[in-house]
Amino acid sequence: MTVISPIRYQGNKRSLIPIILENTPPVKDCPRMVDVFGGSATVCANMPQKFRVYNELSPQVYEIVKMLVEQDPKKTLGQVKRLVRHWCLTNSNEENYDAFRTVVQKKRTAILHYVAHRHAHSNMLRFNQQGVYNVGFGDRGLIGKFDELEHELTSFHQHMQGVHLTNMKYGKLLSRLGNQLDCNTFCYFDPPYLASGAMQYGKWTEANERNLLATLEQLNRLGVPWMLSNVIEHREFSNDLLKRWLKKHATTVLYPNKSYAMNNGQSGSHSTIEILAMNY
């Protein structure tokens, strides 16, 4: 059964977990796993390896995951309930959400950011350059879902025990792993998508994309098995650089037929073509 991350933002890999697991190298061959762009930790939480590394560049997202992993889930649930009830947060009261968000923007704690995103537009976790949470109301909420949330918090907490949590740029992470980057270590990459418009991590440029692809080529030379999640088309955008690169450097490319849609009633204009690529 898929472990569901309590973090809900658009683009998490919840629905793709079965196909990701089906195409992950066997644990006997790869006893180590690195989730390079960890995000909601959906992939990391579902991986079977005992040795796992979760890495996330965004300090705010990292702190939320760290809280969910290290804090007793009962305590987390209690904090969430108190905030929701105190601020009367529902899926229909935008005014209360706006008042709550003002406090979130001043205090900037992990639990406040978490509760805000569960009521925000498309459950986004987006911050401006000053680290201020800036997502509008999204007709979403937790009222009536506390039992479901309790299960998710508990399951996620359990499955993330023993995971090494890091908050750094992916190049620094891979450099620190050093000799552990070999055929026994499976690396999963889910970077910001060049073809997808607005970015959670700031602007991901073509230079960033080229650097990442060069990193994957280096892993090829080291014999490190990797999987890459990415988007090759979104609306009018097309990642031609990635399309050309995949033909030369990826052994397997899968098309999961997965489309994301923002919560704005215009799913057709926001559809994507996603791929899973592997070097094995």
Side-chain angles (χ1 to χ4, degrees), residues 208-222:
N208 295 131
E209 189 85 349
R210 290 185 183 278
N211 287 338
L212 175 62
L213 298 179
T215 296
L216 296 180
E217 291 176 30
Q218 175 63 19
L219 294 181
N220 283 347
R221 291 189 285 272
L222 293 173

Side-chain angles (χ1 to χ4, degrees), residues 52-68:
R52 287 169 289 159
V53 176
Y54 163 90
N55 182 64
E56 172 55 43
L57 179 61
S58 165
Q60 297 91 348
V61 176
Y62 172 80
E63 288 300 326
I64 292 175
V65 171
K66 186 172 184 287
M67 174 190 71
L68 297 177

Side-chain angles (χ1 to χ4, degrees), residues 7 15 23 25 31 42 73 75 93 99 126 129 131 137-138 142 144 150 173 175 188 194 234-235 241 254 265 267 270:
I7 300 173
S15 65
N23 289 279
T42 297
K75 180 178 179 179
N93 196 319
R126 186 183 66 200
Q129 292 183 348
F137 181 63
L142 289 168
E150 181 177 16
L173 168 69
S175 177
Y188 174 75
L194 187 64
H234 174 72
R235 295 187 296 183
L241 170 63
L254 304 178
S267 60
H270 287 74

Side-chain angles (χ1 to χ4, degrees), residues 24 29 33 43 62 71 133 146 209:
T24 298
D29 297 331
M33 183 267 175
V43 173
Y62 172 80
Q71 183 168 279
Y133 186 72
F146 289 140
E209 189 85 349

Side-chain angles (χ1 to χ4, degrees), residues 21-34:
L21 290 176
E22 182 182 344
N23 289 279
T24 298
V27 174
K28 63 180 180 65
D29 297 331
C30 291
R32 297 188 294 266
M33 183 267 175
V34 183

Side-chain angles (χ1 to χ4, degrees), residues 219-280:
L219 294 181
N220 283 347
R221 291 189 285 272
L222 293 173
V224 178
W226 53 256
M227 178 184 289
L228 170 70
S229 292
N230 215 304
V231 164
I232 57 173
E233 291 185 13
H234 174 72
R235 295 187 296 183
E236 72 273 21
F237 302 106
S238 175
N239 190 340
D240 295 329
L241 170 63
L242 179 59
K243 288 180 180 179
R244 293 192 298 268
W245 187 89
L246 290 171
K247 291 180 180 180
K248 294 181 179 180
H249 300 284
T251 301
T252 306
V253 180
L254 304 178
Y255 297 83
N257 194 28
K258 163 73 176 175
S259 292
Y260 295 129
M262 300 291 283
N263 184 27
N264 60 4
Q266 299 179 6
S267 60
S269 64
H270 287 74
S271 61
T272 69
I273 299 177
E274 186 168 22
I275 57 94
L276 288 175
M278 292 145 272
N279 67 340
Y280 50 87

